[in-house]
Amino acid sequence: MGSTERIRNVAKRVAKWARAGHQMVVVPSAMSGETNRLLGLAKELAPARADSAYNRELDMLAATGEQASSALLAIALQAEGMESVSYAGWQVPIRTNSAYTKARIESIDDQKVRGDLAAGRVVIVTGFQGVDDAGHITTLGRGGSDTSAVAVAAAMKADECLIYTDVDGVYTTDPRVVPEARRLQTVSFEEMLEMASLGSKVLQIRSVEFAGKYKVPMRVLSSFTPWDIDINVEAKSGTLITFEEDEKMEQAVVSGIAFNRDEAKISVLGVPDKPGIAYQILGAVADANIEVDVIIQNVSKDGKTDFSFTVHRNDYARTIDLLKDKVLPALGAQEVTGDARICKVSIVGIGMRSHVGIASKMFRCLSEEGINIQMISTSEIKTSVVIDEKYMELAVRALHRVFELDQPAA
Ligand code: ASP
Ligand code: MG
């Protein structure tokens, strides 16, 4: 919702659904750019703070973006002749824990919203925010409106949660990298969860986790289609994230390719190969609250081995320092090295459960492109490789072609 014109369009679209007989709860995000603008102001005043008192104020500040857009939407709906009322998270209330800037929703009281719906009103609930037990306003992390929407849908036992966004669905991969990428009509919840955690930025991952836990069908669709398109067409547009695998009409083995440049690789070399090593290294990293992703330990030679893993790029320097200062001396390892110029490319598909040879097809494709694989990790429905970041786009394009993702599955 970038302008009042756009807000008016949203109101017309919502009115269309409501007039067709649906009870509607709308969960707006802030007007575009607003959250960045607000957080930018805080940064001007205090560039490098991350303490709890500061984070509390950031939430107090950022939550105003959604308060404004929600009130504006209610006003626009009223101008369309609809009865409508907006609520901030604390008024509903949407209860969260107290982890400012990344709070988790604990419960939603549906009483007030149900009362308004029963009285024929369209209810607007601010996205992205809630309130903790002590009454402080909290926010759910960037992109958190998705999670608010799914949580409200779960609390209301809604038929479907429609996520209107700036893309018109979930694609086989990012169309900016592969122009032939195709929109998926359906994607299973498990695939979506993998794609969101592997770097697809369409939905906040927590919203997908929430949808999974409470079995809320979610549809991702475009906010740029004209508001007056036929409601039956709109109801089938975008991508449905589904729980019933038989509903999945496109039975491709691989459904999508995810990638990200968010990680860095760290290797501890010449580690004595004996029990307790993984714990000594990764325990120290975990104690520093650093998340580890891909891990490999090599075979040992002369009683020594190499141990490698990836962390978020933002934690790279901190992890190296920690290992050098604390872990190396205690471990008797020889050296810590690292590389921040890596990327992770993953193929995802529930079809991988029932088909063999998918990972080897991926490795062959990369070898034919002359791309060296540095690390591999797999789960039931995905295979990820860590490669040099300069080959990321080449790898994604080649894999997209090899798994025929540009062709609709038969
Ligand atoms: N306004 C918040 C953000 O920009 C929440 C959202 O858009 O989902 O991150
Ligand atoms: Mg968003």
Side-chain angles (χ1 to χ4, degrees):
M1 303 203 295
S3 62
T4 47
E5 186 50 36
R6 301 273 310 146
I7 291 174
R8 189 176 291 125
N9 267 295
V10 174
K12 287 183 192 293
R13 192 188 299 277
V14 171
K16 175 180 75 177
W17 283 97
R19 290 192 174 112
H22 295 277
Q23 291 189 320
M24 302 291 292
V25 182
V26 188
V27 179
S29 181
M31 290 176 75
S32 16
E34 179 64 5
T35 310
N36 286 342
R37 186 186 74 84
L38 292 166
L39 295 176
L41 294 174
K43 229 180 185 158
E44 276 177 34
L45 294 170
R49 275 180 64 187
D51 54 288
S52 168
Y54 178 66
N55 287 342
R56 181 199 179 275
E57 301 311 326
L58 288 185
D59 282 1
M60 183 76 180
L61 173 68
T64 63
E66 273 71 11
Q67 190 170 327
S69 60
S70 295
L72 290 170
L73 182 57
I75 290 168
L77 274 158
Q78 290 163 7
E80 290 300 315
M82 307 294 300
E83 273 201 61
S84 178
V85 59
S86 69
Y87 295 113
W90 63 268
Q91 292 175 301
V92 175
I94 294 178
R95 296 215 170 274
T96 71
N97 64 12
S98 303
Y100 301 122
T101 75
K102 47 175 189 296
R104 281 183 182 264
I105 295 178
E106 284 172 348
S107 66
I108 296 181
D109 186 340
D110 61 353
Q111 290 292 70
K112 197 179 275 176
V113 177
R114 282 196 196 281
D116 285 303
L117 289 176
R121 292 180 198 113
V122 172
V123 184
I124 322 280
V125 175
T126 51
F128 183 51
Q129 60 179 271
V131 61
D132 73 0
D133 285 342
H136 302 291
I137 289 175
T138 55
T139 70
L140 309 180
R142 298 309 305 270
S145 296
D146 298 343
T147 302
S148 306
V150 176
V152 168
M156 302 309 298
K157 303 193 171 55
D159 294 333
E160 207 168 287
C161 177
L162 307 176
I163 306 269
Y164 285 90
T165 178
D166 53 1
V167 293
D168 65 351
V170 179
Y171 277 69
T172 50
T173 195
D174 188 335
R176 283 170 300 191
V177 172
V178 184
E180 296 80 24
R182 251 181 347 107
R183 178 170 57 81
L184 297 162
Q185 276 180 2
T186 61
V187 64
S188 76
F189 152 74
E190 287 171 281
E191 289 167 327
M192 194 62 231
L193 196 59
E194 286 284 5
M195 289 192 217
S197 68
L198 292 168
S200 154
K201 301 259 166 18
V202 181
L203 291 170
Q204 196 198 35
I205 173 129
R206 256 192 230 167
S207 72
V208 185
E209 287 167 1
F210 226 101
K213 188 158 167 204
Y214 295 97
K215 296 260 181 299
V216 181
M218 256 172 122
R219 184 180 293 275
V220 176
L221 62 179
S222 169
S223 57
F224 291 99
T225 51
W227 69 267
D228 56 352
I229 69 165
D230 184 281
I231 199 164
N232 297 308
V233 174
E234 187 170 353
K236 291 199 177 72
S237 67
T239 300
L240 178 68
I241 299 159
T242 172
F243 296 92
E244 275 124 81
E245 293 187 4
D246 335 326
E247 250 184 51
K248 210 168 134 31
M249 274 125 62
E250 301 160 281
Q251 285 300 353
V253 177
V254 171
S255 298
I257 300 177
F259 52 86
N260 76 62
R261 284 191 184 89
D262 301 340
E263 292 179 33
K265 183 177 82 167
I266 292 174
S267 299
V268 188
L269 308 178
V271 189
D273 192 11
K274 57 175 202 226
I277 289 305
Y279 175 64
Q280 259 183 286
I281 297 173
L282 297 180
V285 173
D287 288 345
N289 254 323
I290 296 167
E291 255 181 73
V292 169
D293 184 27
V294 185
I295 304 169
I296 49 173
Q297 185 185 327
N298 295 328
V299 292
S300 67
K301 201 172 159 237
D302 310 324
K304 302 251 181 197
T305 184
D306 300 337
F307 194 93
S308 302
F309 57 95
T310 64
V311 295
H312 196 280
R313 232 177 249 198
N314 295 343
D315 293 325
Y316 177 59
R318 196 154 70 91
T319 313
I320 295 262
D321 289 346
L322 171 88
L323 292 171
K324 282 194 174 144
D325 297 348
K326 302 240 166 69
V327 181
L328 267 203
L331 211 61
Q334 285 151 358
E335 200 187 336
V336 177
T337 64
D339 186 357
R341 289 196 307 270
I342 56 149
C343 68
K344 189 169 75 173
V345 176
S346 313
I347 56 174
V348 177
I350 44 176
M352 291 169 78
R353 270 193 199 130
S354 45
H355 289 73
V356 293
I358 305 305
S360 70
K361 187 169 173 179
M362 178 188 202
F363 305 149
R364 185 176 66 212
C365 165
L366 296 172
S367 84
E368 280 167 5
E369 298 295 336
I371 299 171
N372 186 39
I373 299 170
Q374 304 178 15
M375 302 168 103
I376 300 171
S377 89
T378 65
S379 79
E380 226 189 350
I381 65 162
K382 72 122 208 272
T383 301
S384 301
V385 295
V386 170
I387 60 175
D388 189 324
E389 76 167 7
K390 71 175 180 246
Y391 298 125
M392 187 177 83
E393 295 182 351
L394 176 63
V396 173
R397 284 195 199 109
L399 290 167
H400 198 267
R401 199 170 49 240
V402 160
F403 287 104
E404 295 174 7
L405 290 176
D406 43 355
Q407 331 257 325

